[in-house]
Amino acid sequence: MRKITLNNGVEMPILGYGVYQVTPEECERCVLDAIHVGYRSIDTAQAYQNEEGVGNAILKSGVSRNELFITTKVWISNAGEEKAKISIEESLRKLRTDYIDLLLIHQPFGDYYGTYRAMEQAYKEGKVRAIGVSNFYPDRLIDMAEHCNIKPAINQVETHVFNQQIKLQDVMTTYDTKVMSWGPFAEGRNDFFSNDVLKTIGNQYGKSVAQVALRFLIQRNIIVIPKSTHKERMKENFDVFDFALSAKDMEDIAKLDLGQSLFFSHQDPEFVKFLLNYSRNK
Ligand SMILES: NC(=O)c1ccc[n+]([C@@H]2O[C@H](COP(=O)([O-])OP(=O)(O)OC[C@H]3O[C@@H](n4cnc5c(N)ncnc54)[C@H](OP(=O)(O)O)[C@@H]3O)[C@@H](O)[C@H]2O)c1
């Protein structure tokens, strides 16, 4: 598995498995399937309510803890130094581990500077190997990177062929903060899996649309964490290291960029209110 070296020297697999919208009941089975397929990096979050399933799978997998790379995220309702500190302990307990490989602020709302201070402290205490953020667009990312002690190693943001995050990746390079894509298939939006450009390119290599889409991000040095509850698709999404897209393929896919979200805008007042209400129920 190809690895990416983060800005503190920690190595992280460039391809992992994400468990957003995997139910608590299914999560343990899905993560065990993913580990058996070969995935070693798992992305969860407090808000997904399935950290326990990930923790159970870690223990049952038989794979040593130091071969796995576990990411989780602090939700808005746990924002602020004191609450975040308690929630990190809770995540450790649910994940049945004594350290988290990568800990992110899930959303830039609430007292997230306080959250970040708690994360810096956990990092210093060895409870976390790397820290970063998620859903931080250029203004929030620059402000955080300029006002913290430990520069974010990662910013996990919506990134796929229709929203390529070229400008954000440029800004983040200044701080050696790596892009981690969420929604590498845009969750199927915009007829993702029947896109003609991706299909035609895939046919040249005997690869699927999903595999071409992942390969495009990996060749841009972007970390990917595709989600599937189906073992066959987990295998398909994992099998992307035996081919390479040409410069012409990369150019053709670059043209698919719409330069905006297919989901929502963090500047949309209605969406912000939705997120804050969501946090109250977690
Ligand atoms: N930080 C954040 O705010 C944030 C937000 C969203 C997601 N994430 C993270 O990013 C991960 C990935 O994003 P995502 O789950 O939103 O979406 P995604 O990976 O873009 O898409 C998942 C969807 O694609 C389907 N799928 C997967 N592989 C396929 C294949 N080879 N062929 C056809 N369909 C396939 C899945 O269906 P089946 O499951 O039925 O196979 C599911 O409906 C999440 O699981 C989570 O860990 C983070």
Side-chain angles (χ1 to χ4, degrees), residues 26-201:
E26 256 201 316
C27 188
E28 181 182 318
R29 189 274 299 165
C30 285
V31 174
L32 275 173
D33 278 353
I35 292 174
H36 289 149
V37 165
Y39 292 84
R40 291 293 177 265
S41 166
I42 310 293
D43 180 87
T44 182
Q46 294 169 352
Y48 303 167
Q49 298 188 307
N50 56 19
E51 286 175 309
E52 284 106 331
V54 174
N56 291 341
I58 293 173
L59 278 196
K60 289 187 186 168
S61 68
V63 173
S64 340
R65 176 65 187 89
N66 64 8
E67 285 179 43
L68 297 169
F69 191 100
I70 308 301
T71 301
T72 194
K73 316 180 191 86
V74 179
W75 187 247
I76 305 167
S77 52
N78 291 323
E81 197 162 350
E82 279 312 306
K83 275 173 142 180
K85 190 177 167 189
I86 294 166
S87 85
I88 294 167
E89 293 301 327
E90 198 180 330
S91 287
L92 284 166
R93 186 179 54 73
K94 289 181 175 171
L95 289 166
R96 305 178 77 167
T97 179
D98 49 15
Y99 67 90
I100 293 160
D101 293 279
L102 174 65
L103 182 64
L104 306 176
I105 298 179
H106 205 147
Q107 298 283 352
F109 297 110
D111 176 15
Y112 56 89
Y113 280 86
T115 304
Y116 203 77
R117 282 194 297 278
M119 289 163 53
E120 288 178 326
Q121 186 58 32
Y123 177 81
K124 285 180 196 146
E125 290 168 1
K127 293 176 180 170
V128 175
R129 293 177 67 225
I131 59 175
V133 297
S134 176
N135 296 299
F136 277 48
Y137 292 99
D139 60 332
R140 296 297 83 216
L141 190 274
I142 293 170
D143 195 51
M144 174 58 80
E146 295 287 342
H147 292 105
C148 63
N149 292 318
I150 302 170
K151 301 268 175 277
I154 290 282
N155 186 12
Q156 185 181 115
V157 287
E158 177 193 342
T159 313
H160 45 74
V161 298
F162 300 125
N163 187 15
Q164 299 184 11
Q165 303 290 9
I166 306 295
K167 185 175 159 200
L168 182 61
Q169 192 175 26
D170 276 354
V171 170
M172 285 166 51
T173 304
T174 325
Y175 305 104
D176 198 13
T177 303
K178 302 291 188 304
V179 183
M180 184 169 178
S181 146
W182 69 250
F185 308 139
E187 293 179 10
R189 290 174 189 220
N190 209 20
D191 287 332
F192 197 96
F193 295 107
S194 356
N195 182 272
D196 281 337
V197 173
L198 301 179
K199 262 195 199 163
T200 306
I201 292 173

Side-chain angles (χ1 to χ4, degrees), residues 5-11 123 129-131 150 153 176:
T5 305
L6 304 181
N7 61 10
N8 63 351
V10 165
E11 292 197 324
Y123 177 81
R129 293 177 67 225
I131 59 175
I150 302 170
D176 198 13

